[in-house]
């Protein structure tokens, strides 16, 4: 998971959503009213999906797993529990059908103070709560919120871990290639490589950027990769 910058809603979306929220209120602000209004709101959903796709990582990736195509509008705070937030732009994230329908569903765990125990990539800094182990492709929690998010979002599904290991290998190959292009003055080529890396492997790149430049990491990963990472981090 990586941090996401939420864009401002369009005036059209605000108008469409406010209208639906008023109808939910008029129907008693129940979960049934929210579900009914949501099922009818094709224009609002098209606008929401379009805006979410524009702010999604990579090629419209799921904002939770970063692996699959984001197809569903997820209500971070479920509309069954928070009917009046069904049309709140800040409550919408783009998720793949697996994360939305098989993993998170209507989960909204909280602690004893009713603070949410799920990482919202558009509100939280995921790195404060989650660490990616590059040797296994497995996420580990740094906080209760991180551990709960791993469980609820299914972040350590075997297919996701295998994908992260592949991404790690490819990043290790391509970061030195990017560095060679930079040092050789091929700035256009370097930019294309950097853009491709950022699009395809954002969470693995984020974890690589945290690796320290120490004798131990140079021995384990090689000077070429650590030099490339140092230059990469400076250029970011
Ligand atoms: Zn997903």
């Amino acid at each position: 998971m990586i941090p996401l910058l939420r864009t401002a809603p369009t005036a059209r979306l605000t108008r469409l959503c406010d209208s639906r929220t008023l109808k939910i209120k008029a129907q008693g602000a129940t979960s049934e009213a929210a579900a009914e209004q949501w099922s009818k709101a094709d224009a609002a959903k098209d606008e929401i999906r379009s805006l979410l796709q524009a702010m999604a990582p990579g090629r419209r990736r799921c904002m939770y797993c970063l692996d699959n195509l984001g197809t569903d509008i997820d209500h971070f705070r479920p509309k069954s529990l928070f009917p009046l937030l069904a049309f709140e732009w800040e409550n919408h994230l783009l998720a793949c059908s697996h994360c939305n329908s098989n993993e998170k569903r209507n989960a909204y765990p909280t602690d004893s103070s009713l603070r949410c125990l799920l990482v919202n990539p558009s509100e939280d800094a995921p790195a404060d709560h989650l660490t990616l182990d590059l040797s296994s492709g497995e996420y580990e929690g740094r906080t209760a919120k991180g551990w709960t998010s791993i469980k609820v979002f299914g972040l350590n599904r075997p297919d996701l871990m295998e994908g992260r290991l592949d991404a790690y290998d490819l990043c290790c190959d391509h970061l030195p290639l990017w560095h060679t292009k930079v040092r050789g003055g091929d700035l256009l080529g370097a930019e294309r490589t950097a853009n491709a890396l950022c699009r395809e492997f954002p969470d693995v790149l984020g974890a690589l950027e945290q690796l320290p430049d120490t004798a131990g990491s140079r021995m384990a990963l090689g000077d070429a990769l650590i030099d490339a990472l140092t230059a990469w981090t400076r250029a970011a």
Side-chain angles (χ1 to χ4, degrees), residues 34-234:
E36 182 191 334
Q37 291 303 323
W38 187 255
S39 70
K40 295 176 177 174
D42 288 345
K45 286 189 280 192
D46 286 347
E47 190 88 5
I48 292 165
R49 187 175 283 103
S50 173
L51 284 176
L52 288 176
Q53 286 173 341
M55 64 180 261
R59 292 190 180 83
R60 302 175 177 181
R61 296 280 181 90
C62 170
M63 294 174 172
Y64 298 125
C65 72
L66 297 179
D67 190 71
N68 300 320
L69 183 69
T71 51
D72 299 0
I73 299 168
D74 177 57
H75 291 86
F76 186 77
R77 294 160 186 84
K79 62 182 183 300
S80 57
L81 301 175
F82 303 91
L84 291 177
L85 296 183
F87 287 89
E88 184 72 34
W89 163 239
E90 283 74 18
N91 194 34
H92 299 137
L93 290 170
L94 192 68
C96 68
S97 59
H98 187 92
C99 283
N100 193 32
S101 302
N102 294 69
E103 302 288 346
K104 179 173 177 282
R105 292 177 286 187
N106 288 324
Y108 191 72
T110 57
D111 64 15
S112 57
S113 302
L114 299 182
R115 284 179 298 222
C116 178
L117 282 175
L118 295 179
V119 176
N120 182 331
S122 70
E123 295 178 3
D124 300 308
D128 288 347
H129 303 281
L130 296 161
T131 301
L132 178 57
D133 182 344
L134 289 167
S135 66
S136 65
E138 186 173 13
Y139 269 110
E140 295 172 356
R142 303 183 67 189
T143 62
K145 194 170 188 170
W147 284 115
T148 308
S149 297
I150 290 168
K151 184 177 178 193
V152 170
F153 296 137
L155 294 181
N156 285 335
R157 306 195 293 265
D159 57 317
L160 297 179
M161 289 173 58
E162 287 168 17
R164 291 180 199 127
L165 288 175
D166 288 343
Y168 174 57
D169 284 342
L170 290 169
C171 283
C172 290
D173 287 344
H174 285 80
L175 277 165
L177 177 65
W178 166 83
H179 197 202
T180 298
K181 290 179 180 178
V182 170
R183 287 182 297 176
D186 179 9
L187 298 185
L188 188 59
E191 185 180 357
R192 289 178 62 184
T193 301
N195 288 340
L197 284 167
C198 291
R199 271 198 306 271
E200 294 298 322
F201 316 118
D203 52 346
V204 171
L205 265 181
L208 275 165
E209 289 167 3
Q210 302 303 314
L211 288 177
D213 181 357
T214 62
S217 59
R218 284 185 175 271
M219 188 173 292
L221 300 171
D223 288 334
L225 178 58
I226 297 298
D227 287 345
L229 273 172
T230 301
W232 176 271
T233 306
R234 282 197 192 122

